[in-house]
Amino acid sequence: MKRILLTGGTGYIGSHTAIELINKGYDVEILDNLFNSKITVLDKIEKLTGKRPKFYEVDLLDKEGMEKVFAEGHYDLVIHFAGLKAVAESVKNPLLYYKNNVSGTVNLLECMKEYGVKNIIFSSSATVYGQQKESRMVETMSTGNGITNPYGKTKFVIEEILKDVAAADETFSVVILRYFNPVGNHPSGLIGEDPNGIPNNLMPIIMKVYRGEIPELNIYGDDYQTPDGTCIRDYIHVVDLAKGHVAAAENMKSGVNIYNLGSGRGTSVKEMVDLFEKCSGKPLPHKIAERREGDLGELVAEPGKAEKELNWKTELTVEDAIRDTLAYLNNL
């Protein structure tokens, strides 16, 4: 049985992945500084799986604390979720993001090297593709050009560091998973996305409008070259995303292997609003605002490589994600 350490494992995607891994029989341990998550997530993971992961409250910048975790753990694999992820905050405070995300990852990799852990799955993002002329993203495309915020740049830098580490040690295995737009929550309604402050992503903003915490949703631009004029994105249910990590863990290979995790289907912002109103049975206040600088009209995954090599593809729909989001909201 593989023993797996999840950094940032009490967060939104990490906690869902922990559930899927535990249900598959893996021995899961979690490291998190609880900066943007809650310790009560462990209770919910235990309730849903019957097992409580061993937990370490440690920051990746705490090298001494990290070494104690690795000395105890004897891990076969690290899945690296931990990192700051608020786009607007990264623009205002880039040094915080480079220090936390990049330096923290270097500390993690040093500990892995010291304790002989040779496998890592990295939680990356479609933001690394930057500005592309095509609307469908393929893993072979160039990365790093035209990334519009420091958060996305940290993902790119970490990908490059991982490639260099793998090039220096042929026994080191790296999987880079480029997420598109995670949405939804666990169907139990027990765990889900509940970010601190004003979120940047569409669904968390919709959730806050639905709850009356934000007066209305801004739709940034309705004059794009898309069927209804609003931006089109590839939304992936977080449970499908979590299962993508299980598939990656079961198909580790030497070297660096990169996969898009997306549905391959686009949904516009207006379609998302309409679907949410239909599923919730109540209007969602919204207005058209000016375009945001750097927003592309359409950004969708080409997920064929993950299906071919990992035997993984999405099974859940945007409607499923909205249904599970409403179940979570009604539980709060």
Side-chain angles (χ1 to χ4, degrees), residues 155-200:
K155 292 293 188 184
F156 170 71
V157 169
I158 292 166
E159 284 195 10
E160 294 299 297
I161 291 169
L162 289 168
K163 290 174 188 176
D164 289 341
V165 170
D169 180 357
E170 63 182 20
T171 66
F172 198 70
S173 297
V174 175
V175 171
I176 292 169
L177 300 178
R178 292 176 180 159
Y179 308 164
F180 278 69
N181 296 72
V183 290
N185 302 278
H186 194 272
S188 65
L190 283 178
I191 64 169
E193 188 170 21
D194 189 19
N196 297 331
I198 302 298
N200 186 73

Side-chain angles (χ1 to χ4, degrees), residues 36 85-89 92 194-201 204-205 208-209 213-216 218 220 292:
N36 200 26
K85 63 174 188 175
V87 170
E89 182 185 50
K92 291 177 183 174
D194 189 19
N196 297 331
I198 302 298
N200 186 73
N201 297 333
I205 296 173
K208 287 185 178 289
V209 173
E213 296 173 18
I214 298 175
E216 61 188 355
N218 287 322
Y220 295 105
R292 290 184 299 194

Side-chain angles (χ1 to χ4, degrees), residues 90 93-100:
S90 79
N93 197 347
L95 290 178
L96 174 67
Y97 273 66
Y98 283 107
K99 183 174 183 180
N100 188 86

